[in-house]
Amino acid sequence: MMTPQDASKHTEEICRLAPVIPVLVVTDAAHAQPLATALVAGGLPALEVTLRTPAALDVIHEMAQVEGGVVGAGTLLTPADVEAAKKAGALFGVSPGATDRLLDACAANDLPLLPGSATASEAMRLLERGFTVQKFFPAEANGGAKALKAIGAPIPQVRFCPTGGVSLSNARDYLRLDNTLCVGGSWVAPRDLVLAGDWDGITKLAQEASELEA
C-alpha cells in the first residue's frame, strides 16, 4: 500500500514535468490519442482527464497508450472513481477536495493523489496525513495568487498546483510563488480546437504553456 509520503513524492515528480498540467474534459474517445499526442509534442506530458463525461474512462485508457504521456484522472470523488480510474490506466489522481474514504482508496489502490484544498485548515489536515503536495482549488475564486502566497507563509511544507480560473494571462502570478510547483488549466485544449481536430493548434498552445517561467 502506498503511503501518503510516497504518493506526494510521485505527485511532486509529475508536477515538475512541466509548468502546466492540462485539465481535459473530453467527450469523444476518438479524440483521446491525437489530443494527448499533440499536448505531449508541445511539451506538456502530464495530462489530467476529468471524470466529467461518460467517455472519460475510455479517454484515459486511450491516452495511456501515447508514448511520453503521463495520464491521470481528475474529479475523483469516491472510492469507486479511484478503482475505475486505476483500472483504466491512470497513473495519478486529482480531486477537488479530500475525504478520508477517498484518501484511503487511493492508498489502497496505489494511486498517487493530488488532493484539493482551499483553506489553511484543509491544507493542514492533509499535511497531517502526509500530503505535502496539494491542489489549490478553485484558485481564482479563493483569492488567487495573493491568497496562495498568504497560505504558504505559515505552511511552507506544502507545495501546490493551483487550478480553477488559471489562464495564460495569470499563470505566471502563481508560478512566481515559492509554494507553487505548476498550475492546472484548460486553456491549452480549448473545446473548439478539439472538435475541429486542430491538433497543430493545440500543440502550439502547449508549446507556449511549456515555456512559461516565473
Side-chain angles (χ1 to χ4, degrees):
M1 179 181 293
M2 182 176 290
T3 67
Q5 291 79 10
D6 288 337
S8 287
K9 180 180 179 181
H10 285 295
T11 303
E12 181 171 350
E13 291 171 354
I14 292 168
C15 286
R16 290 188 181 280
L17 290 174
V20 179
I21 294 179
V23 179
L24 309 171
V25 181
V26 186
T27 57
D28 187 347
H31 294 148
Q33 290 201 20
L35 174 57
T37 299
L39 291 166
V40 172
L44 302 181
L47 312 171
E48 177 191 340
V49 179
T50 62
L51 300 186
R52 300 182 193 176
T53 72
L57 292 173
D58 289 333
V59 171
I60 291 171
H61 176 75
E62 291 298 319
M63 285 190 173
Q65 317 305 315
V66 175
E67 185 175 356
V70 180
V71 184
T75 324
L76 295 179
L77 303 178
T78 68
D81 290 339
V82 174
E83 292 169 5
K86 179 77 179 216
K87 185 177 180 180
L91 297 178
F92 67 98
V94 184
S95 62
T99 67
D100 288 330
R101 291 182 67 229
L102 184 68
L103 299 178
D104 291 343
C106 286
N109 285 275
D110 290 330
L111 186 69
L113 178 68
L114 181 63
S117 63
T119 67
S121 292
E122 291 175 356
M124 288 169 61
R125 180 178 178 278
L126 284 168
L127 181 60
E128 281 187 351
R129 291 214 37 171
F131 289 90
T132 56
V133 180
Q134 303 172 20
K135 168 183 172 179
F136 181 58
F137 176 83
E140 283 294 288
N142 278 317
K146 289 183 178 180
L148 186 55
K149 181 180 180 180
I151 289 174
I155 316 175
Q157 303 95 324
V158 180
R159 298 293 183 89
F160 293 91
C161 171
T163 305
V166 180
S167 65
L168 182 63
S169 64
N170 62 16
R172 284 190 178 87
D173 295 338
Y174 292 99
L175 293 171
R176 291 189 186 102
L177 302 179
D178 291 338
N179 63 340
T180 296
L181 291 173
C182 64
V183 300
S186 59
W187 82 88
V188 293
R191 179 177 173 80
D192 58 337
L193 293 190
V194 174
L195 294 179
D198 187 354
W199 312 123
D200 288 340
I202 289 174
T203 294
K204 290 179 181 178
L205 291 175
Q207 288 174 333
E208 186 177 32
S210 71
E211 295 169 358
L212 283 171
E213 296 179 358

